[in-house]
Amino acid sequence: MRLQMDTAQRLLTWLDVERVLKQRSVLWTRLPAGVLSVDCFASGLEVRHSADDRVVDEWLSKIFGNAYHRDQRCIRLRIGDSSYPVELTRDEGAAADIGQKNYPLWRDVTYLPIDETTTSDQLEQPAVQPIVEMPVGWASGPDLISFHSFKGGVGRTTSLMTYVAACMQEPGAAPKKILVIDADLEAPGVSFWLDEANRPMVSFVQLLEALHYPPAGLDATLSYFAQELRKTSLNVGGLQRELFILPAALDLAEIQDMPVAPEHLARNPGNPWQLSDHLHALGNHLGVDAVFIDLRAGLSELASPILFDPRVDHFFVSTVAPQSVQGMAEVLRRLYAFNRQLPAAQLENARPTVVLSMLTKELRDAGHYELALKALGEAYPTDDALSPGVQWLEAEFLSTLMSIGSLREALDTLPQSSRLFASATEWARGLYAEPLQIQTTTSADDISPAATPRHEQASRLYEVCRAAEFADSSATSVILATEPLINLGKHFANELPNLLMIGAKGAGKTFTFRQLVGASKWQHFLSKLGFDPANTTDAAIFPVLWSDNIEDKPDGEIKLAQNSTANLIQSDKQLLLSASVVRRLIEEALKAPPDHWEDFWDTLIARQLGITHGGLQVINQTLAKHSSRVIFVFDGIEDTFKDADNRHVNEAIHALLRLPNRVSELDNRYMGVIVFVRADYVQATIRQNLGQWLQRFQAFRLHWNPESFLRLAFMLSCQAGVISNDPKSAESLRIEDLKTELERLWGKKLGSEKSKEAHSARWVYAALCDLKGNVQARDLVRFLKFAASFESNRTGQTWPDRLLAPESMRKAIPDCSVEKVTEAKSEVAPLRRWMDLMEQSGIRNLKVPFSQEQARLDASLLGSLQELGVVYEDVDGALGEERLFLPEIYRYGLGFVTSATGRPRTQALLKKNIGAIPL
């Protein structure tokens, strides 16, 4: 609320005065220097202070504006123009009052600031105490899990029972015991699913009363309730799977006359968390694995003592209806404000889960779905731009779930909710998984990491990735048969390839070029991809243009391939041009452009084959004369032509890109052409029908989808010995097998299996891809290089199930981004122009999302950056001018920061654009 603007207009009674003071002092924990205590009574306001009266008057004037009258020392109320007296009591030498005891209840938590930008005049001095004393963690015993919703009828109870069903169906051999507590004391749910055989003679209402007024001690009380619950437990699929249900009440009369409620236990000054402690202890008496608590909906004190306990695993259920979303957003905002008091590690563990329920395809396609993601994501923000503050789950609408009438029917029917049940099954696996023995090294001997096998293995991975980062490092590396390369073999097993292979920077163009040149024969290259040589046409590989990163030595890969072709057609090897000569010929042609650049490229090929006159037709006839098929390959266009926007350069590149068209016009073709070219050069050169060009060669476009992304990570892990397998098996394993194998590299999640951290493979993919889902091979190699480097020098926690600790993976992203942007700036003209514009304009630390004007982007430059995947514009988000986003792989390197709205939007956009975050 706008306290400073409308405080005077909303003061109706003295209770409004008290509310304003509670808000501004964060429930009396932050008062101005010199103000010792503040007490509000129906008869007036009493302020005890040690400062000058004027200090207190100024403070009250700042809070209440013209509603505070200094001369009369009163606060004007609006009803009847009445006044509320203020009494100042000077008490020099006294200490500040530590304030009243606060509790985990809505009436107290509501005064926690939810905005991190609270101004200094609102919080005059540091808090003298936390608003609520935090609970002590449980060393052992069952997990506590709560399900809450703002509105009733949104599927809260069915969501809870879906998780219970998943626990009951968990395939492990160990016994399964679950306690469900119906704590909805206004509208019980699970209680009505009990039949007579499974209805205990005790209730949650009775438990509250017995805990508040224990007739024979706490242990005796809990033992009695445990004994009664055992009598009516439900066995599911045998004696080893047992379900206990504690109903809200034995009959509704108990609720209608309920002298003890959860808030009464929460008001215990010695331990405001005793309700959770007692329910945990009851679970211990029963020997259960988990205690599920179905809470009352809304902003009810019937739920708050459990709701604000950070030791409880909280699930919040909401539909995408605006009323449900707005209410749930308020719950999440208050929970976040409360949890911000926690230490960092506990704050991470306290992440809530939001279940969007009753979803249909129509609802997902409608605007309310995206608005719900945005509102709920912003209500519980995070400093980690790669992980949302809340864990998101979804539950589809099924009419069969609307008429469940018993526990057994629920356990049989709820697994049909495939989407939510899959999430619940994974959660149940984590519940019953063996805990990781994460060790922390503390001795002096462990300060140096050099001697441990883990550090040695990380060092090997670093070396493998450093060697693989740039394609010029080795011509003999193992090639991974990705989809574009498989398509190349499928289309051109029996005819000569004649095409452009387009790819973004880092997609593997030069690597593939070198694999072709190193193979020397088309048949040999296809066999490396897994094609049967007996069923493929053979041809020699002749490199015409290549990257500056490949050294042209007499016995090097370029000359070996060229010599092989020269031998086939018996041409003079002395005619073969060196790299420096090729570059000089191109430079001279750019200074004195030929009438037709097509003739220049034809001559460049012909001259090296000993052909002095004639174009492609003569070259083809010469090859036919010697019954020799040759594939001419071109790479390094970006090294040769630095500025594709230059007119003569543009004409030269355009002619080269049209070479496959001209070759296709030849009769009885003995030659083929493969031109490796970066996507932005095609965009800058082809002015008309660009879409048709791209579509024509789309099957061979070098890109890395989620599947090939996993296969590359697996292959590198095998080469480094992280995974004991043949690197070539990366091409044959199923995706699920790859994910399982890669757990040895980076674990299943960025935490334990029970944590709400992201799945590691999905997190890495989301961190490295752009907002269209495109990811580059070099970025993955670079990421693993940095993560391995950090791991090889890291001391502290050791994760026995993986090589790379989450800490090392998180630290790798900024360095990966900086290196990517630094490299791209020197080679990608649109990005370089944008960065220069921002540098000249002094733009620093721009926030995501941002506007076109803020970033000094004209329409043309913005279009180029969008095509490259550097910038994404969200035209459907109703964000106004600030609707431009950067993927994380560019954000760090460009020096952009994320706003509270930018973090969840980035995740939502990726999901929106590609349907779902893969892996």
Side-chain angles (χ1 to χ4, degrees):
M1 293 185 179
R2 296 174 299 161
L3 291 175
Q4 294 181 342
M5 295 292 292
D6 60 359
T7 296
Q9 284 72 36
R10 62 189 186 90
L11 298 177
L12 304 184
T13 70
W14 72 273
L15 293 171
D16 291 324
V17 174
E18 184 180 45
R19 289 190 188 99
V20 170
L21 287 169
K22 285 179 178 179
Q23 184 94 37
R24 296 296 292 272
S25 66
V26 190
L27 200 57
W28 317 123
T29 62
R30 303 184 186 183
L31 294 169
V35 175
L36 305 178
S37 67
V38 179
D39 292 294
C40 295
F41 305 99
S43 57
L45 171 65
E46 296 180 3
V47 180
R48 190 168 61 91
H49 66 98
S50 61
D52 190 274
D53 288 359
R54 286 176 299 177
V55 173
V56 182
D57 285 331
E58 289 174 5
W59 177 58
L60 294 175
S61 294
K62 188 181 295 184
I63 292 176
F64 295 103
N66 59 13
Y68 179 62
H69 294 254
R70 290 192 183 201
D71 52 347
Q72 302 173 23
R73 288 256 164 80
C74 67
I75 298 171
R76 190 67 61 187
L77 304 178
R78 296 195 66 199
I79 297 178
D81 198 26
S82 57
S83 62
Y84 182 58
V86 176
E87 180 181 346
L88 305 186
T89 303
R90 191 174 182 83
D91 191 356
E92 294 186 19
D97 195 337
I98 62 170
Q100 67 182 52
K101 184 75 175 180
N102 302 320
Y103 301 99
L105 299 170
W106 283 110
R107 65 191 65 175
D108 289 354
V109 173
T110 191
Y111 294 106
L112 277 171
I114 59 176
D115 186 359
E116 295 185 35
T117 60
T118 304
T119 57
S120 58
D121 69 323
Q122 288 176 292
L123 305 179
E124 282 82 354
Q125 64 184 32
V128 296
Q129 62 175 19
I131 191 168
V132 177
E133 184 179 343
M134 290 301 167
V136 177
W138 300 304
S140 61
D143 288 15
L144 260 63
I145 306 97
S146 75
F147 278 73
H148 180 264
S149 61
F150 178 76
K151 286 178 62 66
V154 298
R156 183 190 72 242
T157 302
T158 53
S159 296
L160 178 149
M161 288 304 299
T162 300
Y163 273 70
V164 173
C167 291
M168 291 291 101
Q169 293 192 17
E170 205 279 332
K176 309 292 187 298
K177 291 188 177 185
I178 300 295
L179 169 61
V180 176
I181 297 175
D182 190 349
D184 189 341
L185 296 176
E186 289 185 355
V190 179
S191 302
F192 287 101
W193 286 351
L194 291 168
D195 55 32
E196 289 304 318
N198 300 112
R199 188 184 305 279
M201 296 305 295
V202 289
S203 68
F204 184 53
V205 169
Q206 290 177 327
L207 177 64
L208 292 175
E209 293 170 353
L211 292 173
H212 197 56
Y213 302 108
L218 176 62
D219 192 66
T221 298
L222 294 175
S223 295
Y224 175 80
F225 275 81
Q227 180 180 346
E228 289 299 312
L229 289 173
R230 287 192 189 96
K231 295 177 182 177
T232 55
S233 66
L234 181 72
N235 291 107
V236 182
L239 295 176
Q240 296 298 304
R241 296 169 189 264
E242 195 171 11
L243 180 59
F244 305 96
I245 306 290
L246 181 62
L250 297 182
D251 58 64
L252 295 181
E254 280 187 346
I255 293 176
Q256 297 171 64
D257 179 17
M258 189 173 60
V260 178
E263 66 175 294
H264 295 118
L265 276 73
R267 286 191 170 278
N268 183 305
N271 179 14
W273 306 101
Q274 63 172 321
L275 178 56
S276 300
D277 289 337
H278 293 335
L279 297 183
H280 183 266
L282 177 60
N284 263 331
H285 276 72
L286 287 167
V288 299
D289 311 304
V291 178
F292 286 86
I293 309 167
D294 196 14
L295 294 174
R296 176 61 194 148
L299 307 179
S300 171
E301 303 294 19
L302 296 174
S304 55
I306 300 295
L307 194 63
F308 293 111
D309 192 330
R311 301 170 298 180
V312 178
D313 190 355
H314 298 294
F315 287 75
F316 296 97
V317 184
S318 174
T319 64
V320 296
Q323 313 96 301
S324 181
V325 169
Q326 291 170 21
M328 184 50 64
E330 176 66 11
V331 172
L332 289 173
R333 274 192 292 271
R334 297 301 175 186
L335 181 65
Y336 176 72
F338 185 86
N339 283 349
R340 274 199 306 172
Q341 304 173 101
L342 296 169
Q346 292 183 36
L347 178 60
E348 180 56 44
N349 292 334
R351 283 178 61 199
T353 297
V354 172
V355 179
L356 289 179
S357 64
M358 300 186 179
L359 283 175
T360 62
K361 183 181 183 303
E362 292 74 19
L363 285 174
R364 281 195 183 87
D365 294 339
H368 286 316
Y369 173 75
E370 189 177 345
L371 290 174
L373 291 177
K374 181 176 184 293
L376 297 176
E378 291 176 357
Y380 199 100
T382 174
D383 291 331
D384 183 357
L386 291 172
S387 301
V390 299
Q391 181 186 45
W392 295 100
L393 301 179
E394 294 183 351
E396 64 270 55
F397 173 80
L398 291 175
S399 58
T400 54
L401 305 183
M402 305 301 291
S403 58
I404 294 175
S406 69
L407 274 176
R408 290 198 181 275
E409 185 180 354
L411 295 173
D412 291 339
T413 305
L414 289 171
Q416 298 175 16
S417 179
S418 56
R419 189 182 293 261
L420 184 60
F421 188 73
S423 301
T425 299
E426 182 180 341
W427 183 92
R429 281 200 302 267
L431 175 68
Y432 290 105
E434 288 292 328
L436 287 176
Q437 299 300 316
I438 301 175
Q439 301 173 348
T440 302
T441 57
T442 57
S443 69
D445 294 338
D446 294 325
I447 294 176
S448 173
T452 70
R454 175 173 60 88
H455 292 107
E456 292 172 357
Q457 199 170 55
S459 296
R460 286 198 300 273
L461 178 61
Y462 171 79
E463 293 299 334
V464 166
C465 293
R466 189 179 67 167
E469 184 176 1
F470 296 101
D472 56 289
S473 60
S474 172
T476 58
S477 302
V478 177
I479 189 170
L480 182 64
T482 58
E483 184 179 2
L485 299 183
I486 294 296
N487 289 337
L488 196 63
K490 288 179 179 178
H491 284 76
F492 301 110
N494 302 117
E495 61 177 294
L496 296 181
N498 188 40
L499 71 151
L500 304 181
M501 293 204 76
I502 304 169
K505 180 172 180 56
K509 299 183 301 301
T510 299
F511 177 79
T512 307
F513 169 87
R514 294 192 72 177
Q515 292 288 331
L516 268 167
V517 172
S520 184
K521 300 286 186 180
W522 180 243
Q523 197 175 69
H524 186 198
F525 175 74
L526 292 184
S527 69
K528 292 171 70 174
L529 296 177
F531 291 89
D532 184 359
N535 297 321
T536 55
T537 298
D538 203 9
I541 307 294
F542 187 92
V544 182
L545 187 68
W546 54 93
S547 169
D548 288 343
N549 295 321
I550 303 175
E551 189 176 0
D552 184 21
K553 300 183 295 185
D555 58 347
E557 60 199 278
I558 298 297
K559 284 297 176 280
L560 286 176
Q562 290 178 334
N563 287 337
S564 177
T565 302
N567 290 335
L568 287 175
I569 62 173
Q570 301 173 2
S571 66
D572 186 356
K573 298 176 185 177
Q574 299 299 317
L575 297 174
L576 298 175
L577 303 177
S578 66
S580 58
V581 172
V582 172
R583 293 290 186 271
R584 188 173 69 249
L585 290 173
I586 292 174
E587 289 170 2
E588 291 172 352
L590 288 172
K591 291 176 182 177
D595 293 334
H596 301 285
W597 274 99
E598 288 85 353
D599 295 339
F600 172 84
W601 295 115
D602 293 355
T603 301
L604 184 65
I605 298 171
R607 177 175 169 178
Q608 301 188 76
L609 300 181
I611 301 171
T612 55
H613 296 89
L616 295 182
Q617 189 72 41
V618 175
I619 296 173
N620 194 57
Q621 290 171 356
T622 301
L623 296 176
K625 177 182 175 181
H626 292 88
S627 300
S628 299
R629 292 180 171 83
V630 177
I631 302 168
F632 298 101
V633 291
F634 296 77
D635 186 39
I637 294 174
E638 302 83 13
D639 294 334
T640 307
F641 303 101
K642 300 295 185 184
D643 186 4
D645 291 330
N646 177 282
R647 182 169 66 88
H648 297 312
V649 168
N650 196 286
E651 292 171 352
I653 297 174
H654 194 191
L656 179 56
L657 298 185
R658 293 186 67 253
L659 181 58
N661 286 358
R662 295 192 298 117
V663 168
S664 66
E665 297 169 357
L666 297 172
D667 291 331
N668 193 24
R669 185 161 58 88
Y670 274 75
M671 61 184 293
V673 169
I674 300 178
V675 179
F676 293 90
V677 60
R678 215 165 64 200
D680 57 310
Y681 271 61
V682 177
Q683 176 192 355
T685 305
I686 307 299
R687 302 296 185 182
Q688 295 181 336
N689 302 320
L690 174 62
Q692 294 179 17
W693 275 77
L694 296 176
Q695 185 59 40
R696 176 181 169 191
F697 304 113
Q698 183 62 33
F700 319 108
R701 185 162 184 166
L702 290 169
H703 71 280
W704 292 78
N705 58 24
E707 179 179 332
S708 54
F709 167 85
L710 284 184
R711 297 192 189 282
L712 177 59
F714 177 84
M715 186 178 75
L716 294 169
S717 299
C718 291
Q719 290 175 346
V722 178
I723 298 173
S724 301
N725 215 324
D726 179 4
K728 287 298 288 182
S729 64
E731 298 173 354
S732 57
L733 289 175
R734 297 183 309 112
I735 288 185
E736 290 305 316
D737 295 331
L738 286 168
K739 288 166 64 176
T740 301
E741 290 282 346
L742 283 168
E743 290 177 17
R744 184 69 198 94
L745 172 66
W746 50 38
K748 186 172 185 178
K749 295 182 177 182
L750 262 73
S752 67
E753 193 165 352
K754 285 182 66 174
S755 74
K756 294 188 180 182
E757 293 281 7
H759 286 76
S760 297
R762 187 180 303 166
W763 183 89
V764 175
Y765 175 83
L768 300 182
C769 73
D770 63 26
L771 292 175
K772 296 179 181 179
N774 301 314
V775 65
Q776 299 303 328
R778 184 174 296 169
D779 292 332
L780 174 59
V781 175
R782 186 181 279 135
F783 164 77
L784 292 176
K785 179 193 74 172
F786 280 118
S789 176
F790 287 124
E791 190 64 34
S792 65
N793 293 285
R794 189 182 64 83
T795 57
Q797 286 188 335
T798 299
W799 295 75
D801 66 328
R802 69 195 73 183
L803 173 63
L804 300 178
E807 172 190 347
S808 298
M809 293 169 65
R810 293 184 192 278
K811 288 172 67 176
I813 297 299
D815 286 355
C816 188
S817 175
V818 169
E819 193 167 286
K820 177 184 178 71
V821 170
T822 301
E823 177 188 274
K825 179 185 178 182
S826 64
E827 301 180 6
V828 181
L831 182 61
R832 182 169 60 251
R833 287 201 303 274
W834 184 34
M835 293 179 71
D836 289 343
L837 279 172
M838 290 194 291
E839 181 71 27
Q840 294 164 11
S841 304
I843 297 174
R844 298 283 189 281
N845 299 324
L846 198 60
K847 287 187 176 181
V848 178
F850 56 95
S851 69
Q852 191 173 333
E853 182 180 355
Q854 288 171 337
R856 303 296 190 270
L857 287 170
D858 58 35
S860 174
L861 185 54
L862 175 60
S864 298
L865 293 170
Q866 287 177 294
E867 183 65 29
L868 289 167
V870 177
V871 176
Y872 181 84
E873 182 177 15
D874 181 19
V875 296
D876 302 323
L879 295 172
E881 294 297 318
E882 296 180 358
R883 58 176 181 267
L884 299 179
F885 291 82
L886 295 174
E888 288 301 293
I889 192 61
Y890 283 102
R891 183 181 68 79
Y892 286 102
L894 289 170
F896 279 60
V897 297
T898 56
S899 65
T901 55
R903 288 190 290 264
R905 289 295 296 165
T906 302
Q907 292 292 320
L909 282 174
L910 181 58
K911 188 173 182 180
K912 169 187 171 183
N913 292 335
I914 61 178
I917 301 177
L919 308 177

